[in-house]
Amino acid sequence: MAKPTEAEAEAAVRLLIEWAGDDPDREGLIDTPKRVARSYRELFAGYQADPRDYLQRTFEEIAGYDELVVLKNIRVTSFCEHHMLPVIGCAHVGYLPNRRVVGISKLARVVQGFSRRLQIQEKLTAEIASAIQDILDPQGVGVVIEAEHSCMTLRGVNTIGVTLTTSKLLGVIRDDARTREEFLDLVRKS
Ligand SMILES: [Zn+2]
């Protein structure tokens, strides 16, 4: 699939402005197609890199640390693939290490990397969990995402303040009742 040129992307935005009912040639809108095309680069940066690469560098000097590592309230900015409207919320990511850990900022980068694509929240949650499971090979992984979907809050049923919660638990965080409770307790205290 050939990537469209920036000029083609700008023309598409221009058409949408007309479709919305406005005049793309008026002063306030004249540079809008250019701005939108450029902002798409940032908003959809998740297509330019493989988020799994962020997890490649790990640390094994952990002095026998074998308790849960949980990073909470990672900002999620995504776009629903059905309406291309923002999905805004936060992710909580945890794992039980198996002899090695990853830098915590890398967990946030993985969340960002998968978020900045057209998504549904269920798939996003599962993708983050399986990337951590596959690469870090921990004893267990837990990912919980809570987010507000603009396609529900700005249009359609217009229900403001409704959030969708999804979770994906793997390994001992799924199968061991105590570890699961500990993870979910840590997440709830956010
Ligand atoms: Zn939607």
Side-chain angles (χ1 to χ4, degrees):
M1 200 171 59
K3 197 178 162 82
T5 63
E6 193 162 320
E8 286 171 329
E10 287 170 19
V13 177
R14 204 186 140 83
L15 196 67
L16 284 174
I17 292 171
E18 288 175 326
W19 173 243
D22 214 321
D23 170 14
D25 290 320
R26 70 178 175 84
E27 191 190 15
L29 288 172
I30 194 82
D31 289 326
T32 299
K34 199 177 280 295
R35 289 191 203 97
V36 172
R38 285 188 184 157
S39 72
Y40 261 44
R41 279 212 193 113
E42 185 181 341
L43 295 171
F44 295 106
Y47 292 112
Q48 286 148 39
D50 184 351
R52 290 169 169 256
D53 291 345
Y54 298 126
L55 295 169
Q56 297 299 342
R57 186 163 151 70
T58 59
F59 303 95
E60 297 192 2
E61 284 183 23
I62 57 173
Y65 184 88
D66 58 358
E67 300 292 336
L68 284 172
V69 176
V70 179
L71 190 62
K72 295 196 293 189
N73 298 316
I74 307 164
R75 173 103 170 146
V76 169
T77 310
S78 192
F79 285 82
C80 87
E81 65 187 28
H82 299 142
H83 303 92
M84 296 180 73
L85 285 170
V87 174
I88 308 283
C90 61
H92 315 294
V93 175
Y95 65 99
L96 189 64
N98 185 13
R99 296 188 311 278
R100 55 200 183 118
V101 297
V102 70
I104 51 172
S105 67
K106 301 299 188 291
L107 292 176
R109 283 191 173 281
V110 169
V111 170
Q112 271 187 359
F114 283 116
S115 299
R116 290 187 176 264
R117 296 174 176 185
L118 293 170
Q119 279 286 7
I120 62 168
Q121 190 179 324
E122 293 85 340
K123 181 177 161 205
L124 174 62
T125 312
E127 278 177 336
I128 296 166
S130 52
I132 297 169
Q133 182 65 51
D134 292 350
I135 299 162
L136 206 54
D137 191 30
Q139 299 177 61
V141 179
V143 177
V144 175
I145 298 180
E146 301 165 298
E148 195 174 291
H149 290 243
S150 304
C151 58
M152 264 189 86
T153 57
L154 299 182
R155 56 163 291 285
V157 284
N158 275 298
T159 42
I160 289 165
V162 174
T163 59
L164 179 68
T165 302
T166 48
S167 63
K168 182 74 180 179
L169 309 179
L170 300 171
V172 292
I173 295 182
R174 182 192 58 201
D175 299 330
D176 179 69
R178 261 180 52 193
T179 312
R180 184 174 60 237
E181 270 319 297
E182 194 188 337
F183 170 71
L184 294 174
D185 266 355
L186 287 167
V187 164
R188 277 187 210 110
K189 285 185 200 122
S190 51

